[in-house]
Amino acid sequence: MKLTSKGRYAVMALVDLARFDNINPVSLRDISLRQGISLDYLEQIFSRLRKREIVQSVRGTQGGYVLNKKAKEIKLSNIFDAVDEKVKTVKCKKESKKGCNGKTTKCLTHNLWDELDSHINNFFEQKSLEDLVKDNAERRI
Amino acid sequence: MKLTSKGRYAVMALVDLARFDNINPVSLRDISLRQGISLDYLEQIFSRLRKREIVQSVRGTQGGYVLNKKAKEIKLSNIFDAVDEKVKTVKCKKESKKGCNGKTTKCLTHNLWDELDSHINNFFEQKSLEDLVKDNAERRI
DNA sequence: TGATACTTGACTATTTTAGTCAGGTTTATA
DNA sequence: TATAAACCTGACTAAAATAGTCAAGTATCA
């Protein structure tokens, strides 16, 4: 089990954005350079973030992206959700006709995965972008 | 992010084993039939579980597998560990010369993934095989 | 009007996953 | 002691997911 780099990059880029998001929009080019993420890949990621209204785009020269909400209101769960980082640990269909193993009953571990999902999602719902920015500011001292 | 079926099958098979593990060893063939998991795949999985001393094998006719410890003492973390289900969510190298992003510093989100790892591992260390067996026994009433 | 930056969609090499397959070895029991 | 059940091992592979790249735009500011 691992997170994909898409989700990881999304969070990295947004933390970067949140730190520089005072007056001017931040260009993906800058983020790309600072974080070492391919510009093209960032564009894919930000396209999704924009659709989910986590960021806003500003076109033209000096354009870039701006947070669409306060950092405090952006939870990690929103971010992962936007970039399709599914925190569904296992393929047991929720209430399909067939059980998880092709039989008519739930598999022996069905409840377990449900619990695990809640556990992880809970973590992501607690953490906001602001928490991460602060964490970095502190470490910087 | 998702768990692989190898880890899921390992847990399913062990819960099954734990339930029938009274007197006789349980054959993989039986588990395969009951749980709908390919026999060959089960053999791969149990080979690893045996190396980690989670189960013991009994060879010959009427052979099979037996738990090597009490169900209470087998934590899910042991199981995932054995079948190589890495709960390392992200590829930031721990203390390599290079940082996570090819730079000399830790990436902005490094601490986050460490925390997440702990959070998930904590879940797996809490849960024992016995808990799962009990959970199923209760649901059966 | 040019440079900068966003926008979109298609494409692809690589890696991982989820097994299968083949060819063993060991041992209880008839 | 023969045989079949069951374990054991390693190599192989199709399919899916991942991590991007590439190409061809469009919008807007200076």
Side-chain angles (χ1 to χ4, degrees):
Chain A
M1 176 174 55
K2 60 169 195 287
L3 283 172
T4 64
S5 69
K6 190 171 272 173
R8 178 176 150 231
Y9 286 165
V11 177
M12 282 173 67
L14 283 174
V15 173
D16 184 301
L17 178 56
R19 293 172 71 197
F20 290 89
D21 179 43
N22 306 315
I23 315 154
N24 301 319
V26 180
S27 74
L28 292 190
R29 187 161 176 282
D30 287 351
I31 297 179
S32 165
L33 290 173
R34 279 195 295 259
Q35 302 304 327
I37 304 169
S38 133
L39 180 58
D40 282 318
Y41 206 23
L42 275 178
E43 279 170 355
Q44 264 185 51
I45 293 168
F46 272 76
S47 164
R48 296 182 193 228
L49 294 174
R50 194 177 58 80
K51 277 174 193 151
R52 296 305 194 89
E53 300 181 342
I54 292 170
V55 295
Q56 262 191 343
S57 68
V58 179
R59 307 190 81 156
T61 317
Q62 304 298 326
Y65 283 92
V66 182
L67 290 185
N68 199 29
K69 307 172 189 176
K70 297 200 168 150
K72 197 175 187 174
E73 286 157 17
I74 300 175
K75 305 297 180 192
L76 294 196
S77 51
N78 304 141
I79 301 173
F80 286 116
D81 203 33
V83 297
D84 229 17
E85 192 81 80
K86 295 200 188 61
V87 181
K88 183 79 192 86
T89 38
V90 137
K91 283 187 218 155
C92 308
K93 298 278 180 191
K94 241 186 177 170
E95 292 296 339
S96 70
K97 305 278 156 62
K98 289 181 154 194
C100 320
N101 41 14
K103 306 192 173 177
T104 51
T105 56
K106 281 190 195 172
C107 73
L108 292 176
T109 52
H110 194 103
N111 285 6
L112 173 68
W113 310 123
D114 276 353
E115 275 182 62
L116 176 58
D117 278 356
S118 307
H119 189 72
I120 295 174
N121 280 314
N122 188 50
F123 179 85
F124 287 143
E125 272 157 31
Q126 300 290 319
K127 285 264 175 198
S128 74
L129 206 52
E130 190 185 43
D131 296 332
L132 296 184
V133 174
K134 276 187 181 169
D135 182 49
N136 275 284
E138 280 163 22
R139 279 198 294 148
R140 196 153 301 271
I141 296 168
Chain B
M1 177 176 52
K2 60 171 194 288
L3 283 171
T4 64
S5 70
K6 191 171 272 173
R8 177 175 151 231
Y9 286 165
V11 177
M12 281 173 68
L14 284 174
V15 173
D16 185 300
L17 178 57
R19 294 171 71 196
F20 289 88
D21 180 43
N22 307 315
I23 315 153
N24 301 317
V26 180
S27 74
L28 292 190
R29 187 161 177 283
D30 287 353
I31 297 179
S32 165
L33 290 174
R34 279 195 295 259
Q35 302 304 326
I37 304 170
S38 133
L39 180 59
D40 282 319
Y41 206 23
L42 274 178
E43 277 171 356
Q44 266 186 49
I45 292 169
F46 272 76
S47 165
R48 298 183 192 225
L49 294 175
R50 195 178 58 81
K51 277 175 194 150
R52 297 305 194 87
E53 302 181 339
I54 292 170
V55 296
Q56 263 191 341
S57 69
V58 179
R59 308 191 78 153
T61 315
Q62 304 298 327
Y65 283 93
V66 182
L67 290 185
N68 199 29
K69 307 174 189 175
K70 297 201 171 149
K72 197 176 186 172
E73 286 157 17
I74 300 175
K75 305 297 179 192
L76 293 197
S77 52
N78 304 140
I79 301 173
F80 286 116
D81 203 33
V83 298
D84 227 16
E85 191 80 79
K86 296 201 188 61
V87 182
K88 183 80 192 85
T89 39
V90 138
K91 284 186 215 155
C92 308
K93 298 278 182 191
K94 239 183 179 174
E95 292 296 340
S96 70
K97 306 276 156 61
K98 289 182 153 195
C100 320
N101 40 15
K103 308 194 171 176
T104 51
T105 56
K106 281 192 196 172
C107 74
L108 292 176
T109 53
H110 194 103
N111 285 6
L112 173 68
W113 311 123
D114 276 354
E115 274 183 63
L116 176 58
D117 279 356
S118 307
H119 188 73
I120 296 174
N121 279 314
N122 188 51
F123 180 85
F124 288 143
E125 271 157 31
Q126 299 291 321
K127 285 266 174 194
S128 75
L129 206 51
E130 192 186 42
D131 295 331
L132 296 184
V133 174
K134 276 187 182 167
D135 182 49
N136 276 285
E138 281 164 22
R139 280 197 294 147
R140 198 153 300 273
I141 295 166

